[in-house]
Amino acid sequence: MPKAMQYTKGSIVYFAGDKDERVFILQKGILLLTSIDVETNQPVTEQVKSGEFFGVKSALGHFPREETATVLTESVAIIMTVQEFELIFSGNKQIIMKMLRVSSNQLRLIHKKTEAILNNVSEDQQTGMIAVAKSFYDDDQYLSCCDVCSKFLSFYPDTEKKEEVSKLYADAKLRCEKEKALNKAEDNTSDVNDSAGALKQFSLPAFERFAKKYKPGNVIISEFEPGNNFYLIQSGRVQLVKCLNGAKKNIDILKPGEFFGEMAILDNSPRSATCVAIGNVKCLEFNKENFELLITGNPQIAVILLKLFCKRIYDQKRRFRILVIKDLQARLADVFLMFDEMNPPANPNERQRKFNLTTADLAHWAGLPLDTTRDEVNKFVEKRKIEIYDNYMLIANIADMKRIVDTRAGNMLHK
């Protein structure tokens, strides 16, 4: 059961870096949340007043606290576990929708900062979608190119760029049909109805009217297109791709039971990534009109989405922490630390680490040109700190990577 806790002026509810999965509501008094801005290394403060939540993101996302909570006046806070929070507030649509929108805005802001530091030029929606289509074409992914072109023409039927996109579509379609003829013997159309991994509450027959099926390479949503729907994967996997300066970058692979496309539903903004079917995929598609109705009847959906946002915000901030490091050796070392955090070893005392990373992967995560990354990696190799193989890297001592980050990163703090 939730319990009330009294705090005296000047006391600390929790410190930044604490692993603490409690959720708080300030019943009385004033608190100050203090965190460190990643870019400037300066303190950032935010006041919490009576009736407001705090500690929600790190609790729901299961990651360390990002801020220190200091009591400014005599205060009383209601403390609850994540399970108690879900039980009490999952049915409160107003509170959950507010949290979802705040989280969506925070995630969008981090995306913009990341793009700015990568010098990715912000495109208008039409130019952006054309760049996405061309990036698929350049990578010989003609079906995906056709899908993006088709979406473009349906969204912008009267655009002055119609002829350009129609020509690209016709060329890609011709190449796609040639490939299909060559691969006719290969049949990949089975098992689309295997939804064993999907969330149980969406396996009911009532949800079948929302079902959509996609073949390998189909583009479900394209970066830059207007956002009208969001999706839950019932079976198959979906690749998240981002177009950076005309080149495609793989961001993540989503599995059954995961949502995507939800950000555009909440903040009326263009899509921030392209989602491509890996193999056969079955999704449930929901639109803006039935979104609030959906979570009203199924409050657990809103909580799942909120947890998803919390995790994505943390992951994006962790990536951003890497990108602001000026020292290139420290930046690459921090990529290794990030992957070590994501996949902790069975024996934490073991010094050596194996990461399924290539030099190209390192370049992507560090936001560096491939040639620059290769030069910096060779410095590690010469010092025998890293061994490079075709599809993986061996780190001799992960503690060396942490020392490099701690001593060279300057404005970065690592717990």
Side-chain angles (χ1 to χ4, degrees):
M1 290 292 293
K3 59 181 180 181
M5 180 73 72
Q6 292 188 335
Y7 294 95
T8 58
K9 180 181 177 180
S11 61
I12 304 294
V13 181
Y14 56 76
F15 288 94
D18 285 353
K19 292 184 178 180
D20 177 0
E21 296 188 358
R22 297 176 296 168
V23 176
F24 301 83
I25 305 175
L26 188 60
Q27 190 176 51
K28 175 187 174 183
I30 301 175
L31 266 74
L32 190 69
L33 304 180
T34 306
S35 57
I36 301 297
D37 185 88
V38 173
E39 290 181 278
T40 65
N41 201 35
Q42 297 300 309
V44 177
T45 59
E46 177 187 356
Q47 274 198 7
V48 180
K49 298 179 181 178
S50 298
E52 294 181 341
F53 288 88
F54 63 101
V56 177
K57 280 190 299 184
S58 54
L60 294 185
H62 304 291
F63 53 79
R65 301 291 193 191
E66 296 180 308
E67 72 285 339
T68 297
T70 307
V71 179
L72 294 185
T73 65
E74 298 291 323
S75 301
V76 177
I78 304 298
I79 305 173
M80 65 191 79
T81 65
V82 170
Q83 292 75 20
E84 289 167 342
F85 170 82
E86 291 181 30
L87 184 65
I88 296 169
F89 292 101
S90 62
N92 191 320
K93 186 179 75 173
Q94 185 177 2
I95 288 177
I96 295 296
M97 284 299 296
K98 181 180 178 181
M99 287 185 173
L100 284 172
R101 289 195 173 95
V102 169
S103 298
S104 176
N105 290 335
Q106 289 177 344
L107 189 55
R108 183 74 64 180
L109 179 61
I110 299 168
H111 276 308
K112 288 180 178 178
K113 285 185 174 183
T114 300
E115 290 191 2
I117 206 166
L118 290 171
N119 296 316
N120 188 42
V121 179
S122 181
E123 306 273 14
D124 64 83
Q125 287 180 249
Q126 291 191 31
T127 303
M129 281 192 76
I130 293 173
V132 172
K134 287 180 177 177
S135 70
F136 280 115
Y137 184 91
D138 292 342
D139 287 345
D140 301 331
Q141 295 176 270
Y142 301 117
L143 176 59
S144 301
C145 176
C146 286
D147 285 350
V148 177
C149 289
S150 181
K151 285 174 175 290
F152 179 95
L153 294 170
S154 68
F155 284 121
Y156 309 109
D158 301 319
T159 177
E160 60 183 18
K161 300 175 181 179
K162 182 176 181 179
E163 184 178 351
E164 175 190 356
V165 176
S166 297
K167 184 178 179 181
L168 179 61
Y169 172 80
D171 190 0
K173 184 174 173 58
L174 182 63
R175 292 172 182 268
C176 186
E177 288 173 349
K178 286 181 179 179
E179 281 190 346
K180 192 181 296 183
L182 290 171
N183 300 320
K184 195 172 183 181
E186 186 178 345
D187 184 6
N188 291 317
T189 59
S190 61
D191 297 325
V192 294
N193 291 316
D194 178 15
S195 57
L199 300 175
K200 290 182 180 179
Q201 58 263 39
F202 296 105
S203 298
L204 300 174
F207 284 101
E208 275 301 305
R209 69 182 188 275
F210 299 113
K212 300 283 184 180
K213 296 177 182 179
Y214 301 92
K215 295 180 180 179
N218 275 152
V219 173
I220 304 170
I221 61 176
S222 170
E223 187 178 359
F224 297 104
E225 74 173 61
N228 298 310
N229 305 293
F230 79 104
Y231 302 81
L232 170 79
I233 304 172
Q234 281 201 306
S235 64
R237 297 180 301 155
V238 174
Q239 175 77 63
L240 266 61
V241 179
K242 194 159 183 64
C243 188
L244 297 174
N245 300 319
K248 295 200 325 304
K249 300 289 185 183
N250 293 331
I251 302 173
D252 199 1
I253 293 177
L254 303 182
K255 300 176 181 63
E258 295 192 87
F259 290 95
F260 62 93
E262 69 287 340
M263 283 175 61
I265 288 289
L266 293 165
D267 61 12
N268 297 309
S269 55
R271 301 294 192 183
S272 62
T274 298
C275 300
V276 186
I278 302 176
N280 293 289
V281 172
K282 182 181 178 183
C283 294
L284 298 182
E285 179 185 82
F286 302 104
N287 59 36
K288 285 185 178 181
E289 287 68 31
N290 62 26
F291 175 62
E292 291 197 27
L293 183 63
L294 178 70
I295 67 167
T296 300
N298 302 270
Q300 65 275 15
I301 298 176
V303 175
I304 292 168
L305 279 175
L306 189 56
K307 288 181 176 180
L308 175 64
F309 273 125
C310 292
K311 182 181 183 303
R312 287 187 181 170
I313 288 171
Y314 178 78
D315 290 345
Q316 285 296 316
K317 282 185 176 180
R318 183 65 184 90
R319 168 92 194 279
F320 190 67
R321 283 169 55 192
I322 293 171
L323 297 176
V324 299
I325 298 177
K326 303 299 182 185
D327 184 278
L328 301 187
Q329 290 272 288
R331 190 185 292 196
L332 293 175
D334 204 33
V335 174
F336 293 125
L337 292 183
M338 180 183 71
F339 274 85
D340 193 51
E341 293 161 12
M342 291 165 54
N343 303 285
N347 179 9
N349 294 321
E350 185 180 348
R351 296 185 301 172
Q352 189 181 75
R353 296 286 191 275
K354 177 183 176 181
F355 297 114
N356 295 321
L357 292 170
T358 64
T359 305
D361 294 330
L362 271 183
H364 164 63
W365 290 107
L368 295 172
L370 183 57
D371 288 344
T372 303
T373 305
R374 191 176 289 115
D375 291 342
E376 296 299 324
V377 167
N378 285 338
K379 294 176 185 178
F380 281 123
V381 173
E382 289 169 4
K383 295 176 182 178
R384 298 185 178 180
K385 294 183 181 297
I386 295 179
E387 294 178 27
I388 305 295
Y389 297 90
D390 287 344
N391 298 310
Y392 66 94
M393 297 183 180
L394 281 181
I395 310 301
N397 188 346
I398 193 67
D400 285 344
M401 298 296 118
K402 189 175 189 307
R403 277 192 291 270
I404 290 170
V405 173
D406 289 342
T407 56
R408 297 195 192 183
N411 67 338
M412 296 297 299
L413 295 177
H414 285 271
K415 302 292 179 183

